């Protein structure tokens, strides 16, 4: 049977070549990201994932923070390469930041000490599910995106600039926009190596 869900999962790829157009209205994007964030599961229904949608000038401000942070640590000779990479993300329509609200996780550790060593990684699992769901939704709307990790280098400056709670931990950054060049070939391991069936 045909499944739109599986089709959307297959469509999602890492897309680095983006422009500043969107196939979705801002309101539609916000509404759907809110719906996804509300619906994606979390350990003990902790709901510690936080999402920041940066559009317009805020998207540019964000990538400028990344660029200026990297300028301080990347050797001058390789900086033009770094700059080109950051510009390719900034060329997109917007950026979605994924955070975890650490007090929610700490509360859970206090409430359920038996599981406390698992909660940090479970919070990351839930954040990954959220990232995947939003990434796949964007793909379904014919929008390209990639997943970046400039945390923790940029965390303080980002929180200061966008007035975000200090307790939020930045987990991932997702620049997105219309696709100007599709993803290349992707190789796959034999699926029998990864999925075993006993029946
Ligand atoms: C947890 C996770 C972390 C990743 N981190 C990065 C990253 O920091 N930078 C990047 O360019 N791609 C990153 N990627 C993208 C992967 O390289 C990419 O998903 C993988 O090569 C498969 O390609 P596809 O996304 O086109 O299917 C990440 C993907 C995952 C799932």
């Amino acid at each position: 049977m045909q499944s739109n869900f599986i089709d959307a999962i297959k469509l999602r790829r890492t897309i680095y070549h983006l422009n500043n157009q969107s196939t979705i209205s801002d309101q539609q994007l916000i509404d759907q990201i809110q719906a996804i964030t509300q619906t994606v599961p979390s350990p003990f229904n902790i709901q510690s994932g936080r999402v920041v949608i940066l559009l317009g000038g805020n998207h540019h401000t964000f990538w400028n923070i990344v660029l200026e942070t990297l300028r301080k640590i990347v050797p001058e000779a390789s900086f033009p390469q770094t700059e080109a990479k950051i510009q390719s993300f900034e060329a997109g329509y917007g950026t979605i930041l994924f955070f975890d609200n650490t007090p929610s996780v700490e509360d859970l550790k206090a409430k359920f000490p038996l599981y406390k060593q698992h909660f940090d990684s479970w919070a990351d699992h839930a954040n990954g599910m959220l990232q995947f769901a939003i990434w796949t939704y964007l793909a379904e709307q014919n929008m390209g995106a990639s997943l970046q990790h400039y945390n923790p280098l940029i965390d303080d400056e980002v929180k200061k600039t966008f007035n975000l709670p200090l307790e939020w931990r930045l987990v991932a950054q997702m620049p997105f926009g219309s696709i100007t060049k599709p993803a290349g070939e992707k190789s796959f391991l034999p699926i029998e190596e990864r999925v075993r069936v006993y029946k």
Side-chain angles (χ1 to χ4, degrees):
M1 202 176 80
Q2 183 68 16
S3 162
N4 294 339
F5 177 64
I6 302 295
D7 287 345
I9 288 176
K10 287 182 179 168
L11 202 58
R12 184 221 54 80
R13 292 295 311 276
T14 291
I15 307 288
Y16 293 117
H17 299 274
L18 305 169
N19 70 21
N20 65 354
Q21 304 296 304
S22 179
T23 61
I24 325 163
S25 74
D26 288 352
Q27 197 51 52
Q28 204 180 349
L29 177 81
I30 294 161
D31 289 348
Q32 301 301 0
I33 289 179
Q34 284 180 336
I36 292 167
T37 304
Q38 194 152 52
T39 315
V40 163
S42 59
F44 288 73
N45 199 25
I46 178 183
Q47 300 171 71
S48 64
R50 299 290 182 267
V51 176
V52 174
I53 304 168
L54 299 175
L55 301 173
N58 293 301
H59 160 73
H60 296 293
T61 300
F62 172 78
W63 288 106
N64 198 47
I65 292 171
V66 177
L67 187 68
E68 293 313 315
T69 305
L70 293 175
R71 197 190 296 279
K72 292 178 198 146
I73 56 164
V74 173
E76 214 177 317
S78 45
F79 194 71
Q81 219 178 321
T82 301
E83 193 166 21
K85 194 169 169 193
I86 302 306
Q87 278 167 356
S88 74
F89 302 139
E90 192 177 352
Y93 183 79
T95 301
I96 301 163
L97 307 182
F98 295 87
F99 290 87
D100 186 55
N101 181 45
T102 57
S104 311
V105 181
E106 293 311 312
D107 282 355
L108 208 56
K109 286 180 188 169
K111 233 181 259 170
F112 301 100
L114 197 62
Y115 298 103
K116 75 170 194 244
Q117 73 274 24
H118 299 299
F119 284 134
D120 290 321
S121 79
W122 286 351
D124 281 342
H125 296 183
N127 207 287
M129 292 185 189
L130 185 54
Q131 294 160 32
F132 176 72
I134 291 176
W135 196 352
T136 304
Y137 162 67
L138 290 170
E140 192 204 23
Q141 299 298 313
N142 223 353
M143 293 286 276
S146 73
L147 200 55
Q148 303 302 320
H149 297 91
Y150 292 99
N151 50 292
L153 280 178
I154 57 170
D155 294 26
D156 292 348
E157 194 58 32
V158 168
K159 286 187 245 182
K160 199 169 86 184
T161 303
F162 297 107
N163 198 20
L164 300 170
L166 291 178
E167 315 80 60
W168 286 15
R169 175 174 61 87
L170 184 56
V171 182
Q173 306 86 52
M174 184 175 286
F176 67 95
S178 287
I179 301 169
T180 59
K181 188 178 163 202
E185 285 292 301
K186 182 175 170 181
S187 62
F188 297 98
L189 291 171
I191 198 59
E192 298 72 23
E193 244 177 60
R194 303 185 58 200
V195 180
R196 293 186 190 192
V197 182
Y198 300 88
K199 61 180 185 181

